[in-house]
Amino acid sequence: MLKISFKNRKDLVLNNLVLDYNGTIAFKGKTISGVKEKLSKLAKKLNIYIVTADTFGTVREEFKNQNVNIEITDDRLTGAKYKEEFIEKINSEKTVAIGNGANDRLMLKKAGLSLAIIGGEGASLNTVLEADIVIKNILKGLDLLLNNDSLKATLRR
């Protein structure tokens, strides 16, 4: 569990981290260097889920020996709806969601805390508008979760 206390807003109590894959923690199907190490540290406090359409078909191989749960989006629903329903199922209020694409918008809107990543693929404007925090790369975003003081400073009202 990750608890972030604030003086002037509701405290955050987070149990889950849900990440998009391509464009967020991976580029062209390959995990961005440094992500696995940071996720290993976060796995001591949070349940980690990668929810993805897996465009390049690489996510399971990339994370085969990591303490993360892989969820491939269902063809019966749009990726956006699937991701939204997924975080509702695991308790969206206690979930940090991180993404960049249009199919991440609803997930970010519902999450207790949300980060939009503007990486090598850019980010969907509608997704950015739903995020609590917008950051230029995933490593800096994960660092915010690892360093609560920086997160508090960003979210302070």
Side-chain angles (χ1 to χ4, degrees):
M1 176 176 54
L2 182 64
K3 184 173 182 186
I4 305 159
S5 300
F6 298 93
K7 292 181 181 175
N8 58 0
R9 66 174 281 172
K10 183 180 175 183
D11 291 350
L12 292 171
V13 179
L14 305 164
N15 294 324
N16 307 301
L17 170 58
V18 176
L19 302 142
D20 171 53
Y21 187 58
N22 285 299
T24 300
I25 64 170
F27 185 71
K28 295 185 179 180
K30 297 293 179 191
T31 307
I32 295 166
S33 180
V35 166
K36 290 178 186 175
E37 294 79 9
K38 291 181 188 294
L39 291 181
S40 290
K41 290 177 185 176
L42 286 167
K44 295 173 184 168
K45 296 181 179 184
L46 298 167
N47 302 312
I48 299 178
Y49 302 89
I50 298 171
V51 183
T52 177
D54 198 19
T55 304
F56 297 94
T58 59
V59 71
R60 291 194 194 283
E61 183 64 25
E62 287 281 310
F63 283 90
K64 69 180 175 186
N65 296 317
Q66 301 291 310
N67 188 17
V68 301
N69 303 286
I70 308 293
E71 186 79 17
I72 307 297
T73 57
D74 192 328
D75 289 337
R76 291 172 291 168
L77 299 170
T78 66
K81 191 69 177 161
Y82 188 97
K83 289 178 178 187
E84 177 188 38
E85 289 180 6
F86 180 82
I87 71 163
E88 287 174 342
K89 182 173 70 174
I90 63 169
N91 191 347
S92 58
E93 187 177 299
K94 294 184 181 283
T95 299
V96 181
I98 304 178
N100 76 309
N103 67 355
D104 298 318
R105 179 181 63 84
L106 298 176
M107 172 177 77
L108 269 60
K109 183 177 183 175
K110 288 276 175 104
L113 175 65
S114 59
L115 284 72
I117 303 298
I118 304 176
E121 293 182 3
S124 162
L125 176 60
N126 290 330
T127 299
V128 167
L129 293 174
E130 295 296 351
D132 295 309
I133 298 171
V134 178
I135 197 155
K136 62 183 177 178
N137 73 57
I138 187 60
L139 298 175
K140 298 293 184 186
L142 295 174
D143 283 343
L144 285 175
L145 298 177
L146 290 165
N147 179 348
N148 290 352
D149 290 338
S150 294
L151 190 60
K152 283 182 189 182
T154 302
L155 294 174
R156 184 176 292 125
R157 292 186 181 162

